[in-house]
Amino acid sequence: GIYFAPESDTPRFLSKAVHALSYNPNELASQVLARLGHDSKDPLARGLQTSDQPWLEPTRVTLAHPRDPSLHVLKGHSGLVESVAIQGDLIVSGSSDGTVRIWNATSGEEQHVLKGHYNASVAIQGDTIVIGSNDSMVRIWNATSGKEQHVLEGHSDRVTSVAIQGDTIVSGSDDNTVRIWNAMSGEEQHVLEGHSDMVTSVAIQGDTIVSGSDDGTVRIWNATLGEEQHVLKGHSGYVMRVAIQGNAIVSGSSDNTVRIWNATSGEEQHVLEGHSGPVNSVAIQGDTIVSGSSD
């Protein structure tokens, strides 16, 4: 057996570094210093000896500490990861490398690589994955088999955002439109026109669709009728992301603010200030709102 001192981070370190070390065991010293730092009191760090071969020595901590709660680092993409979605034991990621990847959330293992999708936006529901990408198409894939089921044609420019609920798929595009599709047949049901600039984000809840745009507005639509219900004005910059839960709509903007709106009346309820850069992402669950920014 192997004995580790109670204060040692070595077991946790090995669980985090095993992926890199499996490719190159000589990365051990770099991994230790990049996770624990030069001033660490951990026996593993204190026991390092200077290599007699050229090596890259981290000058500061740049990797997750062994006690960091992250479970897995999913490696496979060769470009920027621009969109992720999760449901149950499945994670879906879209990247600028032209692939969408399906991962097992428990083991961290890659299950499928779906090729041909550049700068993809992804959504997942049950066994259905929805992908929108640079080629103006929306595609539906089966998450288990990794096979394409439908190609939804209609947009005339890049698809920036997709969402799915039940049999309804919603997509937003640089062509300034929001489109509603039937998830089973792949048929287009409505084209929602009203935005005067690129649609950056869409969300759906029940019969309500929310869209955000570079025109600075958030719009509320009826999913069944395909009609615009409210135009929410207040942001002084691009609307980067929208989310909806219950009667609350949340939007993040390049004006560095997060705003909360009433989904029924369309009235602005709060302006959340604090970020010093564009707000690129927002999410809501219960009474909690989370925002991410370029700051």
Side-chain angles (χ1 to χ4, degrees), residues 17-276:
V18 64
H19 184 82
L21 296 179
S22 67
Y23 284 98
N24 185 0
N26 294 325
E27 288 291 319
L28 176 61
S30 297
Q31 284 281 323
V32 170
L33 294 178
R35 294 182 190 277
L36 298 175
H38 284 266
D39 58 349
S40 174
K41 299 298 190 291
D42 189 277
L44 185 62
R46 296 177 67 182
L48 289 177
Q49 295 181 356
T50 303
S51 173
D52 57 0
Q53 300 291 328
W55 66 296
L56 295 176
E57 180 180 1
T59 58
R60 60 188 176 88
V61 174
T62 56
L63 297 177
H65 190 274
R67 295 182 185 274
D68 184 272
S70 61
L71 299 177
H72 298 288
V73 178
L74 312 183
K75 295 186 178 182
H77 285 297
S78 59
L80 300 175
V81 178
E82 302 185 325
S83 178
V84 293
I86 182 171
Q87 179 182 275
D89 206 33
L90 287 180
I91 293 172
V92 185
S93 58
S95 167
S96 63
D97 66 6
T99 69
V100 170
R101 294 170 191 256
I102 305 173
W103 315 79
N104 181 288
T106 302
S107 68
E109 293 180 356
E110 183 179 272
Q111 297 183 316
H112 296 287
V113 180
L114 314 180
K115 297 181 179 180
H117 305 283
Y118 289 89
N119 307 104
S121 172
V122 297
I124 183 171
Q125 174 187 263
D127 209 32
T128 301
I129 293 173
V130 183
I131 303 171
S133 60
N134 267 358
D135 62 3
S136 78
M137 305 295 182
V138 176
R139 288 178 165 83
I140 303 173
W141 296 77
N142 182 282
T144 302
S145 67
K147 293 183 178 180
E148 185 177 274
Q149 296 180 314
H150 294 288
V151 179
L152 314 183
E153 300 184 38
H155 284 296
S156 60
D157 208 333
R158 178 175 68 115
V159 178
T160 57
S161 181
V162 292
I164 181 172
Q165 179 186 266
D167 285 343
T168 302
I169 291 172
V170 185
S171 58
S173 168
D174 281 355
D175 66 9
N176 302 359
T177 71
V178 175
R179 292 174 191 251
I180 304 174
W181 316 79
N182 183 286
M184 300 298 293
S185 67
E187 294 181 358
E188 185 179 271
Q189 296 180 315
H190 296 287
V191 180
L192 312 183
E193 298 179 309
H195 284 296
S196 60
D197 208 334
M198 298 179 289
V199 178
T200 56
S201 181
V202 295
I204 182 171
Q205 176 188 263
D207 208 32
T208 301
I209 291 172
V210 183
S211 59
S213 167
D214 277 0
D215 66 11
T217 70
V218 176
R219 292 173 191 251
I220 303 174
W221 315 79
N222 182 286
T224 302
L225 302 176
E227 295 179 351
E228 185 179 271
Q229 296 181 313
H230 296 287
V231 180
L232 315 183
K233 297 181 179 180
H235 284 297
S236 59
Y238 304 143
V239 177
M240 313 290 284
R241 193 69 60 190
V242 294
I244 181 173
Q245 181 186 267
N247 205 32
I249 291 172
V250 184
S251 58
S253 168
S254 63
D255 66 9
N256 303 357
T257 71
V258 175
R259 291 172 192 253
I260 305 173
W261 315 80
N262 183 289
T264 303
S265 67
E267 293 181 358
E268 184 179 272
Q269 296 182 313
H270 298 285
V271 180
L272 312 182
E273 298 178 310
H275 284 298
S276 59

